[in-house]
Amino acid sequence: MSRPRVYVTRKVPGEGLDLLKEKCTVSMWDSDEPVPKEELLNQVKGVHAIFCTISDRIDAAVLNAAGSNLKIVATMSVGRDHISVQECESRDIYVANTPDVASDSAADLTVALLLMTTRRLVEGLEAVRAGEWGPWKPAWICGMELMNKTVGIFGFGRVGFGVARRLRPFGVSDILYNDPYEAGHAKGLAKYVSFDELLSKSDVLCICCAVTPQTIGMFNKKTFQKMKKTSFLINTARGAIVNHDDLYDALKNGDIGAAGLDVTTPEPLRSDHPLIKLNNCIILPHMGTNTVEARHSMSVNTAKNIIAMLGLD
Amino acid sequence: MPKLPRVYVTRNIPKPGLDLLREECEVEVWDSDDAIPKDELLKHVPGIDGLLCMLTDRIDKEVLEAAGPQLKCVGTMSVGYEHIDVEECKSREIRVSNTPNVSTDSVSELTVALLLLTSRRLLEGVDAVKQGAWGKWKPMWLCGMEMVHRTIGILGLGRIGYGVARRLKPFGVSKIIYHDVCKVSYADDVGAEFVPFDQLVAESDVICICCNLTPQTKHKFNMVTFKKMKKHAILINSGRGGVVHHDDLFDALTSGEIGAAGLDVTEPEPLPASHPLVSLHNCIILPHMGSNTIDSRNSMAETAAKNILACFSNKDAIGDVIVYR
């Protein structure tokens, strides 16, 4: 029997490729840049598996081009919103992702972004570079300490849980969370509350949920008006959960204090986007899993997903 | 009706402090965010009973003379008091006070923030967004260091170092080691192991300087030390700038002796924007923001005010530098 064929849509860390090459015939878009759509449609013809990243839109056109050999679309990410999951399911194609392996990196990054925002560190960094660091002043670039504050987490999955664990020794008085269901692993760590209570009580609110039809645009003008005027909003989940125009207005008008975003709509965000100009909005270019360790694990696990689904293990 | 004591405050300090003073004193304030010029200070101090100053105000013989013999106390809204001529105050039996301890949590928090900012290359990320260099997601773009399984080394396990260790534990670090002038009992609470300085330097993936500046620690991090550190190691300094030899640091960062540095304190302060360290992509510099929180500054203002009130009611102050019995 001939070896199964796998198409890899990007130059990914070698460990994953090596695993695949042991048992499959692998063709790859050998570049740091995403594969153009035309090329993708061409290269997937007849493959048994597609190894993709979040930059690749895997829709009906791609699935049709691949044909009936295709058994699995495996993404090197946790998010699957770039894949037409329903189209895959209707064709009996399995959609695999890589939960768990990057949760620590993502939780680390969420806390880092939270602290950068509450402590106004970008303003400080830029002041040094612009030669604005002068003699000591009592009220110069003062931020908020986490001691005795209330943190709210929207979505208490692996990342939300990791964020809560990390914030506890910072002396926060309460960690609240909202989710469709109460989470057993929240016991002793965070308290379940309604969405409205999460909004009105949080000094810092972290969005750690998946993007779904329920959560798209959930953070909008109405939501911001229910939040504290001094509050900080942190989003490391998906950009589509936050209405960006409403966020801009809320930050400009003082409906909330500041925001830290690792994810936006679209990605990348153009450098002339109004949010980038705001002093009270910090934007990172989707760095949630940007550690060498996480990326290697994601590559290996994507390969393992493919090997398992094709019955090669 | 007895006359209220007169207090002069040399800056527009947080309201909680001013409110406390106004309850019991006649208060005059230099109503500005910027430091008071010397000649203005000399104009405003004659006849006052208490002076609440900042670390930018040189309180020397000239100021004390201008105030007059009725001046009872000088309280600074800072921990350091190098700007006050303590000897001259002693000779006039003027009480001197400061504001110790109130910013420990802010500084521990900032140290961890700076560590994460540096290890995850977040400033490069922020810059990329602003400069239009953010492209489509790439597997290995701007990758940094994860905290899980790392060894953290802390130089100086005092209140701040301990606070840093406590905050880093749930990040999954595998080991916390420390060096100090002696072992401390509470190290066990965070599972921190005492090691000799050379071992701290050789084994740590991240080193946090959380110690004072003393003759022992001055320029302790120099080229000899950097050569003993791991090549990917990250150095974080939120103690005092003088613990690090800045020219050697520049050489170490540019030649790959260590991976990156995050500094909240420098030598000198402020550090001019033209300093070579400022332009390095693997050196993150914050303008001494350790206690830059509204909470800390409110506490410092309140404590400074309480110190002054304690003097007028002959009680112990929270931060007595000198007191006379």
Side-chain angles (χ1 to χ4, degrees):
Chain A
M1 181 182 130
S2 65
R3 283 150 66 92
R5 289 178 50 210
V6 180
Y7 184 65
V8 181
T9 66
R10 194 79 72 91
K11 189 163 80 176
V12 297
E15 290 90 334
L17 292 175
D18 292 343
L19 272 179
L20 283 176
K21 283 172 181 165
E22 283 171 22
K23 314 205 173 175
C24 310
T25 302
V26 178
S27 50
M28 184 176 82
W29 176 249
D30 190 9
S31 168
D32 286 329
E33 303 293 329
V35 60
K37 195 61 177 271
E38 280 306 304
E39 178 75 13
L40 176 63
L41 291 172
N42 231 333
Q43 293 291 337
V44 295
K45 290 188 177 127
V47 300
H48 298 83
I50 297 176
F51 179 141
C52 69
T53 73
I54 62 169
S55 322
D56 309 304
R57 185 114 200 76
I58 308 297
D59 53 15
V62 175
L63 302 175
N64 290 339
S68 56
N69 280 347
L70 185 62
K71 289 203 174 30
I72 172 173
V73 172
T75 178
M76 190 178 137
S77 64
V78 178
R80 306 184 309 165
D81 40 299
H82 50 292
I83 300 171
S84 303
V85 175
Q86 278 190 324
E87 290 284 348
C88 290
E89 282 175 358
S90 68
R91 292 167 168 72
D92 251 339
I93 296 169
Y94 188 78
V95 178
N97 63 346
T98 59
D100 297 323
V101 299
S103 306
D104 282 313
S105 282
D108 284 359
L109 191 286
T110 305
V111 174
L113 178 55
L114 186 165
L115 291 169
M116 268 176 90
T117 312
T118 55
R119 294 297 292 264
R120 301 175 63 181
L121 300 189
V122 173
E123 289 174 78
L125 293 164
E126 291 183 339
V128 174
R129 295 194 297 190
E132 285 165 10
W133 182 7
W136 190 85
K137 287 185 202 170
W140 189 58
I141 314 186
C142 278
M144 183 191 81
E145 197 179 81
L146 283 176
M147 282 288 291
N148 301 321
K149 304 296 189 300
T150 298
V151 172
I153 299 180
F154 183 59
F156 210 73
R158 287 167 292 259
V159 178
F161 173 64
V163 170
R165 284 186 62 246
R166 283 160 176 74
L167 288 179
R168 203 161 36 173
F170 283 80
V172 298
S173 60
D174 281 300
I175 302 179
L176 311 175
Y177 78 100
N178 181 261
D179 208 279
Y181 304 102
E182 284 195 50
H185 53 272
K187 204 162 168 200
L189 181 58
K191 182 178 155 208
Y192 184 85
V193 297
S194 68
F195 184 60
D196 278 357
E197 207 180 326
L198 194 77
L199 294 175
S200 63
K201 292 205 166 141
S202 298
D203 295 301
V204 182
L205 204 162
C206 297
I207 301 174
C208 300
C209 61
V211 63
T212 69
Q214 287 83 32
T215 63
I216 284 180
M218 194 151 177
F219 282 80
N220 53 37
K221 183 173 169 151
K222 265 179 51 183
T223 325
F224 298 135
Q225 282 174 348
K226 293 179 187 174
M227 290 172 67
K228 291 186 181 180
K229 290 196 185 312
T230 51
S231 63
F232 297 85
L233 180 72
I234 307 298
N235 187 10
T236 54
R238 279 294 181 268
I241 298 167
V242 174
N243 181 312
H244 287 23
D245 293 337
D246 287 357
L247 176 63
Y248 178 83
D249 290 338
L251 289 169
K252 205 92 210 287
N253 300 335
D255 291 329
I256 67 172
L261 312 176
D262 185 46
V263 287
T264 59
T265 303
E267 285 179 22
L269 208 61
R270 277 176 35 193
S271 57
D272 59 358
H273 191 284
L275 280 173
I276 294 178
K277 301 195 180 61
L278 290 178
N279 243 356
N280 56 346
C281 188
I282 296 183
I283 301 181
L284 294 176
H286 200 152
M287 298 173 92
T289 62
N290 77 326
T291 63
V292 173
E293 297 89 339
R295 294 293 161 80
H296 282 205
S297 290
M298 285 155 72
S299 170
V300 164
N301 274 277
T302 308
K304 284 183 176 176
N305 284 338
I306 291 173
I307 289 167
M309 194 59 202
L310 298 182
L312 301 169
D313 51 355
Chain B
M1 190 179 116
K3 217 164 63 92
L4 292 177
R6 284 181 57 199
V7 176
Y8 189 70
V9 182
T10 67
R11 198 80 72 96
N12 187 10
I13 65 172
K15 199 165 171 297
L18 291 176
D19 286 348
L20 268 177
L21 281 177
R22 284 179 173 134
E23 281 171 23
E24 298 179 36
C25 311
E26 201 186 292
V27 179
E28 216 190 309
V29 180
W30 177 249
D31 192 12
S32 169
D33 285 331
D34 293 303
I36 182 172
K38 189 65 174 280
D39 56 344
E40 288 290 335
L41 181 60
L42 292 171
K43 268 196 244 167
H44 283 92
V45 296
I48 60 171
D49 302 288
L51 179 63
L52 201 165
C53 69
M54 310 293 116
L55 55 85
T56 42
D57 308 307
R58 186 119 197 74
I59 307 303
D60 54 15
K61 189 170 171 176
E62 199 184 358
V63 174
L64 300 172
E65 275 291 331
Q70 77 295 334
L71 180 63
K72 290 183 189 52
C73 54
V74 172
T76 180
M77 189 178 134
S78 62
V79 179
Y81 47 85
E82 303 95 13
H83 51 292
I84 301 175
D85 189 339
V86 173
E87 287 308 310
E88 193 59 42
C89 288
K90 266 195 201 159
S91 72
R92 294 158 192 265
E93 290 205 1
I94 294 173
R95 271 176 81 167
V96 177
S97 58
N98 67 344
T99 60
N101 296 337
V102 293
S103 57
T104 302
D105 284 306
S106 277
V107 181
S108 299
E109 184 179 283
L110 189 285
T111 307
V112 174
L114 180 53
L115 192 169
L116 291 169
L117 188 55
T118 310
S119 64
R120 291 297 286 268
R121 303 175 64 180
L122 300 189
L123 182 57
E124 289 176 79
V126 168
D127 285 344
V129 174
K130 292 191 176 183
Q131 291 158 14
W134 180 11
K136 287 283 177 191
W137 188 88
K138 294 189 181 116
M140 299 316 286
W141 184 55
L142 279 187
C143 278
M145 181 197 285
E146 199 176 58
M147 285 294 112
V148 175
H149 305 317
R150 296 295 175 173
T151 295
I152 308 292
I154 300 179
L155 181 67
L157 202 73
R159 285 173 296 245
I160 292 170
Y162 176 70
V164 170
R166 279 190 62 241
R167 285 163 175 77
L168 286 177
K169 282 211 69 120
F171 284 79
V173 300
S174 69
K175 224 162 127 191
I176 300 178
I177 53 181
Y178 77 101
H179 182 73
D180 208 320
V181 295
C182 61
K183 287 190 191 177
V184 292
S185 54
Y186 48 82
D188 279 348
D189 295 357
V190 288
E193 184 197 339
F194 183 91
V195 298
F197 182 69
D198 279 357
Q199 193 179 335
L200 186 87
V201 158
E203 286 186 8
S204 299
D205 297 300
V206 180
I207 296 182
C208 293
I209 300 172
C210 299
C211 62
N212 290 334
L213 180 60
T214 69
Q216 279 185 59
T217 63
K218 174 100 183 151
H219 289 174
K220 200 160 173 83
F221 280 82
N222 52 33
M223 191 44 94
V224 171
T225 318
F226 295 135
K227 280 194 188 312
K228 294 178 187 170
M229 286 171 65
K230 293 183 177 179
K231 294 218 182 302
H232 65 260
I234 294 174
L235 180 71
I236 302 298
N237 188 7
S238 59
R240 278 295 178 265
V243 176
V244 174
H245 190 289
H246 284 30
D247 292 343
D248 285 0
L249 178 62
F250 179 83
D251 291 339
L253 288 170
T254 49
S255 62
E257 286 298 342
I258 68 170
L263 314 175
D264 186 46
V265 288
T266 58
E267 195 179 45
E269 283 178 27
L271 198 68
S274 56
H275 192 285
L277 283 173
V278 176
S279 53
L280 290 184
H281 73 272
N282 57 345
C283 188
I284 307 290
I285 302 179
L286 292 174
H288 202 154
M289 297 175 89
S291 66
N292 276 38
T293 62
I294 294 167
D295 314 77
S296 249
R297 294 295 157 80
N298 282 351
S299 289
M300 284 162 72
E302 283 178 334
T303 303
K306 284 178 184 173
N307 285 342
I308 303 252
L309 295 177
C311 169
F312 295 147
S313 49
N314 278 319
K315 297 208 176 85
D316 286 341
I318 296 165
D320 272 320
V321 173
I322 34 168
V323 76
Y324 309 93
R325 303 238 182 267

